[in-house]
Amino acid sequence: MSDDHSIPQDWGAYTATEHATWRTLFARQQALLPGRASGAFLGGLSRLPIFGEGIPDFARLNNVLAATNGWRLIAVPGLVPDAVFFAHLANRRFPAARFIRRPDQMDYLEEPDVFHDVVGHAPMLMLPAFAAYMQAYGKGGVKALRLGALERLARVYWYTVEFGLVREPAGFRIYGSGIVSSHSESIFCLEDPSPHRLSFDLRRVLRTRYRIDDFQECYFAIRGFDELLELAEIDFAQIYRDVAVLPDIAPGELTDTDQIITRGTGAYHAGNR
Ligand code: HBI
Ligand code: FE
């Protein structure tokens, strides 16, 4: 492993079982995502050489990603340190895990694998506004580390890149990678009465804790991808100072100023505590 934590993908070394895991995961999402995932996501996916047969070769994906918005996937063993992660994003390199989950982890795993990283993240990198937002997040991450604001900035990533919804003319749609790569959450986030759905608000999101071990209790919907592009142009330093004096908000909590789209019942998590 080099300093930037990259490793060769070594596509030829994937086993038949690993390709079969991909096929199962991909077929499930292919059946679910039309009508649930955003047009930007579905369009990006259709233009990439990502298919149902097996784990894609990053070199082939990179030919298309690089020619479109200058992004590339680089293979990594798994989670990389924050500073390394941000440095890659700032240079339009997305670190994608090489490994795929075991057959007994089809429905749930905490650490991102190649299915999550490729199916979840690569399609959105085909959209110019999103491609710019991700790079800005990398640059912002480097600054947040210096300002001691990483925990807050990470919430923005979580509630947009990983678990974001977007308003489309026909209704709310998914663009968050953590949702589009999850069979159960693709349904839960849009259809279950339990979670809150709120309009995205930067200061609100910077204060909102999140759970990494279960469905989200709150989803934030953007008006469109221009809203993310606007975030990419803001200087967060003053905003960090503003929110530093305000209390954090629990994942399932509502506040007086929330722009509520649907108020959740909280029933799912109440039954799972
Ligand atoms: N590493 N490979 C990988 N993928 C991630 O999504 C990732 C990471 N390291 C750090 C990280 N995410 C987050 O902690 C930051 O977004 C805050
Ligand atoms: Fe992710």
Side-chain angles (χ1 to χ4, degrees), residues 30 34-35 54 63 65 78 83 96 104 150 152 155 159-160 175 186 190 193 204 213 231 244 266:
Q30 209 172 23
N63 287 336
L65 284 169
D104 62 308
L150 183 65
R152 290 206 173 77
R155 293 168 179 169
Y159 285 116
T160 59
Y175 71 91
S186 293
L190 294 175
R204 201 308 181 179
D213 60 344
L231 291 186

Side-chain angles (χ1 to χ4, degrees), residues 94-230:
F94 190 84
R98 183 196 174 279
F99 81 99
I100 194 156
R101 67 196 74 185
R102 297 189 312 263
D104 62 308
Q105 298 171 313
M106 294 308 267
D107 289 313
Y108 182 69
L109 100 161
E110 239 170 69
E111 198 187 347
D113 72 343
V114 65
F115 184 77
H116 165 83
D117 281 334
V118 169
V119 171
H121 290 281
M124 293 307 297
L125 297 174
M126 295 291 284
L127 185 74
F130 199 89
Y133 174 67
M134 286 289 277
Q135 179 178 28
Y137 179 79
K139 292 181 179 173
V142 174
K143 283 185 206 155
L145 281 172
R146 223 169 39 225
L147 297 170
L150 183 65
E151 195 182 343
R152 290 206 173 77
L153 184 68
R155 293 168 179 169
V156 179
Y157 187 84
W158 191 263
Y159 285 116
T160 59
V161 176
E162 294 286 344
F163 291 94
L165 301 180
V166 58
R167 187 188 292 270
E168 287 191 354
F172 289 93
R173 293 291 184 269
I174 306 161
Y175 71 91
S177 59
I179 313 176
V180 290
S181 61
S182 162
H183 184 76
S184 49
E185 195 151 1
S186 293
I187 300 169
F188 178 87
C189 74
L190 294 175
E191 293 162 37
D192 202 276
S194 181
H196 302 305
R197 297 175 187 86
L198 308 179
S199 295
F200 182 86
D201 175 85
L202 177 61
R203 287 174 174 75
R204 201 308 181 179
V205 167
L206 285 166
R207 296 171 55 201
T208 310
R209 297 198 305 269
Y210 55 82
R211 41 199 318 153
I212 62 165
D213 60 344
D214 206 336
F215 295 141
Q216 300 305 302
E217 290 180 68
C218 188
Y219 297 92
F220 291 90
I222 54 172
R223 284 177 272 106
F225 293 102
D226 285 355
E227 192 170 356
L228 296 185
L229 207 49
E230 285 163 24

